């Protein structure tokens, strides 16, 4: 039995579907959206494979990334995604997120992340969730801070991406901190 879809005031978090392909390719191939991400270009074949894989997975499965499709509640149009990976012990998680340019800075990702974090801490009983963010991606790390994440580190030249070494901020949130913030 799937725990999806989940609806918020403005969004529907659900599995990816074949109908999402064009919107997925559009935001994944937008240079402004991909600037801080680990991909350069997503081909149609890559998109079809990704959607097929995500459509059958379930969130919370240890050692597996699950991407929640973020869709507008009014018309079910795909506007982004949130990834949650649970570690092999089922105790810690990692999140990552992507939002189409035209939907950024409108509170959509805050709304969606609150649902994913609630699921991570309450449904999956995770102890801790982390996120890695490029220090130059100010809107992203400010989002994490609004959600109660704490910056725990600044990793210098932490990974090689798009032909250069990139720094990362590591953020983390404990389950007990999430419960306090509610």
């Amino acid at each position: 039995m799937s725990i999806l879809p989940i609806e918020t005031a403005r969004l529907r978090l659900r599995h990816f579907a074949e109908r999402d392909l064009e919107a997925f390719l559009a935001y994944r191939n937008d240079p402004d959206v991909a600037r801080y991400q680990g991909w350069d270009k997503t081909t149609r074949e890559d998109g079809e494979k990704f959607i097929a894989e995500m459509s059958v997975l379930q969130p919370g499965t240890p050692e597996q990334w699950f991407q929640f499709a973020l869709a507008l509640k009014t018309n079910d149009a795909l506007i982004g995604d949130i990834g949650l990976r649970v570690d092999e012990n089922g105790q810690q998680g990692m999140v990552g997120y992507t939002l189409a340019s035209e939907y950024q800075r409108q509170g959509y990702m805050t709304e969606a992340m609150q649902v994913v974090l609630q699921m991570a801490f309450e449904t999956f009983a995770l102890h801790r969730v982390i996120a890695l963010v490029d220090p130059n991606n100010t809107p992203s790390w400010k989002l994490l801070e609004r959600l109660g994440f704490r910056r725990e580190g600044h990793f210098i030249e932490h990974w090689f991406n798009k032909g250069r070494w990139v720094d990362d901020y590591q953020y983390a949130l404990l389950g007990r901190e999430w419960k306090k913030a509610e």
Side-chain angles (χ1 to χ4, degrees):
M1 181 175 136
S2 178
I3 56 178
L4 296 177
I6 298 172
E7 292 189 349
T8 68
R10 301 180 296 166
L11 297 170
R12 180 174 295 120
L13 282 72
R14 59 172 173 75
H15 281 93
F16 273 89
E18 288 179 19
R19 68 182 179 277
D20 296 324
L21 182 61
E22 296 308 320
F24 178 76
L25 292 174
Y27 72 75
R28 284 283 177 127
N29 289 314
D30 178 341
D32 289 333
V33 172
R35 178 182 322 151
Y36 300 113
Q37 301 286 7
W39 69 82
D40 283 317
K41 181 151 178 62
T42 301
T43 65
R44 180 167 290 279
E45 183 180 323
D46 292 339
E48 289 169 347
K49 182 180 175 191
F50 173 87
I51 288 171
E53 288 173 0
M54 287 301 127
S55 69
V56 296
L57 296 179
Q58 294 301 320
T61 304
E63 295 191 75
Q64 191 172 75
W65 276 101
F66 178 83
Q67 300 290 130
F68 296 86
L70 305 182
L72 295 174
K73 189 174 172 179
T74 55
N75 61 6
D76 206 36
L78 182 72
I79 65 169
D81 57 82
I82 296 177
L84 173 65
R85 184 185 188 282
V86 175
D87 75 355
E88 65 277 2
N89 299 316
Q91 296 182 2
Q92 297 191 66
M94 181 178 214
V95 291
Y97 37 85
T98 306
L99 194 61
S101 291
E102 61 268 30
Y103 297 98
Q104 294 178 6
R105 294 179 177 83
Q106 298 175 49
Y108 287 113
M109 193 54 73
T110 301
E111 192 173 319
M113 281 287 290
Q114 287 170 334
V115 171
V116 171
L117 291 171
Q118 180 178 10
M119 184 182 296
F121 292 123
E122 295 176 16
T123 304
F124 305 140
L126 297 184
H127 174 70
R128 172 183 166 94
V129 173
I130 68 164
L132 296 174
V133 180
D134 187 309
N136 296 310
N137 192 352
T138 305
S140 184
W141 58 258
K142 283 188 174 184
L143 164 71
L144 293 170
E145 290 178 358
R146 277 194 310 277
L147 291 166
F149 280 77
R150 143 190 81 268
R151 186 183 304 169
E152 293 188 329
H154 182 166
F155 301 115
I156 308 300
E157 298 182 6
H158 185 235
W159 66 301
F160 194 75
N161 186 36
K162 300 178 185 173
R164 64 185 184 93
W165 286 99
V166 179
D167 290 8
D168 268 329
Y169 284 157
Q170 179 173 305
Y171 279 84
L173 181 64
L174 298 175
R176 69 174 177 266
E177 295 167 328
W178 172 255
K179 285 183 170 93
K180 243 188 239 181
E182 284 187 305

